Amino acid sequence: DPTQPASARLARRSTLPELMDNLAADPAVTRQSLRELELINRLLGGFALSLEALDTLRLEAAHAPVRIVDVGCGSGDMLRRMAHWARRRGIPVDLVGVDWNPVMIAVAQEASVAYPEVRYVQADVWSDELTQLGADVVHSSLFCHHFDAPELPRLMRHFAASARRAVVVNDLHRHWFAYYSIILLTRLFSRSTQVKYDGPVSVLRAMTRADWVEALAAAGLSGEQLRWRWAFRWQLIVPTR
């Protein structure tokens, strides 16, 4: 309810759907939204947070490239940053983007022609394809908040079962400052009605530390590292071996 004070709207996770989750959305609008989201991610440190987590894992290729699967890959912007990260460190990688939206996959493939280490798979997150990819690391950025509270433990178990080494999650922190900041940011700089709507809704759907602690306990996972990072993000690393 937009008439509620922010404290009431942010007290618990929203279940409002995001426009970008609609497969029937106008492809041109989705493409514009993806361009803007890549810029927002870059400006607010979203890419750096995931690359920092990969550094923490001290990944090294023994006899085969390290396979990192990015679930909900969108335009593939994160995978292209991971490719540069791996090249600088001399780490052979096989980077796989998974998304259920064919528009996202098409945009990602078009933007990744200069990255032979990056490939894409159109699949639903719940399909067996995720497990069959044989990931060393399952990564997701701005993806988990799309799942309601009852689904989140199941999603984390699925991620953990699909990763040989670790699960890395990069997602939003539900907080009044993040909420009003994204409203202001999108009003000033966005031309996408989708981004202007989805940005604040994403924050309303996001997790607090207590939400994550509860979800991970329900998933039966342990040994995780949950850190707060600027700008109002959670960095979650769950070892799986």
Side-chain angles (χ1 to χ4, degrees):
D1 182 353
T3 64
Q4 284 185 316
S7 58
R9 276 175 280 165
L10 292 160
R12 58 181 62 186
R13 290 188 64 199
S14 172
T15 57
L16 284 171
E18 295 184 43
L19 298 179
M20 195 170 280
D21 288 338
N22 182 2
L23 289 177
D26 183 344
V29 173
T30 297
R31 285 174 178 269
Q32 174 66 25
S33 298
L34 290 172
R35 286 192 292 269
E36 293 187 7
L37 290 173
E38 182 169 358
L39 176 61
I40 291 170
N41 244 336
R42 179 161 54 84
L43 292 175
L44 297 182
F47 297 121
L49 186 152
S50 289
L51 300 181
E52 178 192 71
L54 295 183
D55 277 329
T56 299
L57 293 174
R58 301 184 182 278
L59 299 170
E60 294 179 1
H63 305 292
V66 176
R67 182 168 297 157
I68 302 173
V69 175
D70 184 30
V71 183
C73 64
S75 69
D77 49 0
M78 183 66 79
L79 288 166
R80 292 188 290 277
R81 263 67 178 190
M82 288 180 178
H84 286 292
W85 169 88
R87 290 174 184 180
R88 288 194 300 269
R89 287 157 179 75
I91 302 173
V93 288
D94 176 23
L95 301 174
V96 187
V98 176
D99 206 292
W100 75 326
N101 189 324
V103 175
M104 307 279 192
I105 294 293
V107 170
Q109 288 173 332
E110 291 166 12
S112 303
V113 292
Y115 299 86
E117 62 270 73
V118 179
R119 57 193 172 99
Y120 297 96
V121 176
Q122 184 185 343
D124 186 282
V125 66
W126 300 118
S127 72
D128 292 336
E129 288 186 70
L130 181 59
T131 304
Q132 292 167 359
L133 283 170
D136 293 297
V137 177
V138 170
H139 169 271
S140 74
S141 176
L142 305 182
F143 180 72
C144 289
H145 71 261
H146 290 263
F147 294 81
D148 293 338
E151 297 176 303
L152 192 55
R154 178 188 169 205
L155 181 70
M156 294 306 300
R157 282 194 299 269
H158 185 42
F159 280 1
S162 303
R164 287 191 286 250
R165 291 203 50 182
V167 175
V168 173
V169 173
N170 170 350
D171 220 306
L172 300 170
H173 173 202
R174 190 173 76 254
H175 190 278
W176 67 265
F177 187 86
Y179 179 68
Y180 285 115
S181 295
I182 199 64
I183 289 175
L184 178 61
L185 186 66
T186 55
R187 283 181 180 174
L188 288 175
F189 300 110
S190 176
R191 294 185 297 165
S192 167
T193 55
Q194 195 175 70
V195 169
K196 288 179 180 178
Y197 176 82
D198 280 359
V201 170
S202 294
V203 177
L204 292 176
R205 292 189 58 91
M207 279 73 75
T208 61
R209 179 178 289 276
D211 293 325
W212 271 119
V213 169
E214 181 180 349
L216 292 167
L221 299 175
S222 60
E224 68 276 356
Q225 303 169 32
L226 180 64
R227 299 186 179 96
W228 188 91
R229 289 290 186 265
W230 178 259
F232 289 87
R233 296 274 188 121
W234 293 113
Q235 180 196 75
L236 173 65
I237 303 172
V238 182
T240 58
R241 73 172 190 185

